[in-house]
Amino acid sequence: TLTVTSANHWVTAWLGLELNMISILPVIAKQKHPRSTEAATKYFLTQATASALMLFASAINAWQTGSWNIMQLNNKLSCILMIAALAMKMGAAPTHFWLPEVMQGTTLATALLITTWQKIAPITLLYMISNHAEPIITLSIGLLSILVGGWGGFNQTQLRKMMAYSSIAHLGWTMTVISTVPNIALTNIIIYMIMSTPFFILLMTTASKTLQTMTTTWTHTPTATIILMLLLLSMAGLPPLTGFTPKLLILDNLVTHKLTITAATMAILSLLSLTFYLRTTYLLTSTAPPTTTQSTTTWRLKPHQNQITAFLTPIALFNITILPALLM
């Protein structure tokens, strides 16, 4: 990942992405189970295809312009191909099919890695070529991702698959403004990572993999249940939680660029995501009676997990970072 983020040459960036992909394959296939092997194979095939497309795009650009510099992607065709390759690497629609399947076949810890750390490299490259990106293409990918992310998560009972579709929807919000205001797009993806990390850590702690097992967390970790509920609402983008801020900035920017209909469509499509977040919140907090266990150890968190959760949760829930700017 660091090789990609510090690269200046397309081949170096490609090499970094290949190393990144090869390194995570044993992590995905660590469990001795056919499903995890299948997930690793699917991940390898999609990432290898995207890498080949990326190399092809950069080769066309070098052939036409004589430059391998990442910032000088001047050829229109290679720019379109590059956006398609990076969208496939991240799991944005319409090349999103691998993401829910891969996440379902891995552990929660690996699923967290795939939704957060593995997105850093392609997002960095997209940020670097954003001034050459065609707004109509990034907008189309963004809108489709928001639609797919909302629609796909609707009937999910598996939390990992639900989070995969949530990731696709958040990527959609990022893609819509990457070509106009890349800084806001970057803010959006960083805030998403900050929100999903404590969420996954709490799921690992409570060993929740389905909506059914999630309903029982209240009895032994009431505090964790409340935090999970707030994190879900933050991911849904409800004010005054942090998740609302990037969405507000993105919609504001689209309206400024006379894209009011697009902004309205995105706001309406985000209601699909809101539905499954609210359903999960309801199952989490409103179905089981608030009875605490007789045991004295009500907070069963390992110390290191506790620290990460304690650090990231306030940032994920309260607009500490952006509140002064909003007030001004």
Side-chain angles (χ1 to χ4, degrees), residues 27-292:
V27 180
I28 297 171
K30 190 178 70 167
Q31 290 172 289
K32 302 290 182 284
H33 194 274
R35 178 159 273 190
S36 55
T37 314
E38 184 190 334
T41 312
K42 282 177 179 172
Y43 187 82
F44 169 73
L45 290 171
T46 42
Q47 297 295 318
T49 309
S51 291
L53 192 59
M54 185 184 146
L55 205 57
F56 178 56
S58 54
I60 289 175
N61 186 62
W63 179 44
Q64 292 289 330
T65 63
S67 169
W68 283 96
N69 193 316
I70 292 177
M71 307 292 274
Q72 293 172 5
L73 197 71
N74 298 321
N75 186 273
K76 210 168 206 177
L77 173 65
S78 47
C79 192
I80 293 166
L81 286 173
M82 189 61 72
I83 291 167
L86 293 173
M88 189 189 266
K89 278 219 166 276
M90 291 184 295
T95 49
H96 65 281
F97 296 100
W98 62 273
L99 187 62
E101 298 299 321
V102 169
M103 280 181 68
Q104 187 55 33
T106 60
T107 58
L108 282 165
T110 317
L112 169 63
L113 262 183
I114 292 167
T115 48
T116 54
W117 188 262
Q118 292 299 97
K119 296 227 189 315
I120 295 172
I123 279 283
T124 309
L125 290 175
L126 204 57
Y127 182 81
M128 288 166 85
I129 64 161
S130 59
N131 57 334
H132 296 294
E134 288 284 321
I136 187 75
I137 292 166
T138 53
L139 269 173
S140 307
I141 291 173
L143 278 169
L144 193 61
S145 296
I146 295 167
L147 175 65
V148 165
W151 219 330
F154 234 66
N155 284 331
Q156 294 302 335
T157 53
Q158 296 286 338
L159 289 171
R160 281 167 294 181
K161 271 195 176 177
M162 194 186 86
M163 287 307 291
Y165 284 109
S166 159
S167 169
I168 293 164
H170 277 91
L171 268 177
W173 283 87
T174 305
M175 289 297 284
T176 45
V177 285
I178 194 84
S179 55
T180 49
V181 191
N183 291 347
I184 293 177
L186 214 58
T187 308
N188 182 54
I189 204 78
I190 289 165
I191 287 176
Y192 167 69
M193 287 175 187
I194 289 169
M195 290 186 296
S196 59
T197 305
F199 184 79
F200 270 106
I201 289 171
L202 286 171
L203 288 187
M204 282 183 254
T205 312
T206 54
S208 305
K209 288 182 181 175
T210 61
L211 288 177
Q212 193 176 4
T213 51
M214 210 178 181
T215 53
T216 59
T217 56
W218 184 265
T219 50
H220 63 97
T221 51
T223 324
T225 312
I226 293 162
I227 293 172
L228 278 169
M229 177 196 79
L230 288 169
L231 286 169
L232 277 165
L233 294 176
S234 186
M235 275 190 265
L238 293 181
L241 304 167
T242 308
F244 171 68
T245 310
K247 290 188 175 179
L248 176 69
L249 293 171
I250 289 167
L251 292 176
D252 175 53
N253 181 262
L254 288 171
V255 172
T256 310
H257 283 84
K258 304 280 193 294
L259 292 165
T260 316
I261 295 167
T262 313
T265 312
M266 284 167 67
I268 291 163
L269 289 177
S270 70
L271 292 175
L272 291 168
S273 299
L274 179 65
T275 309
F276 69 77
Y277 286 126
L278 284 179
R279 184 191 61 184
T280 314
T281 308
Y282 172 73
L283 285 172
L284 190 64
T285 55
S286 306
T287 48
T291 50
T292 49

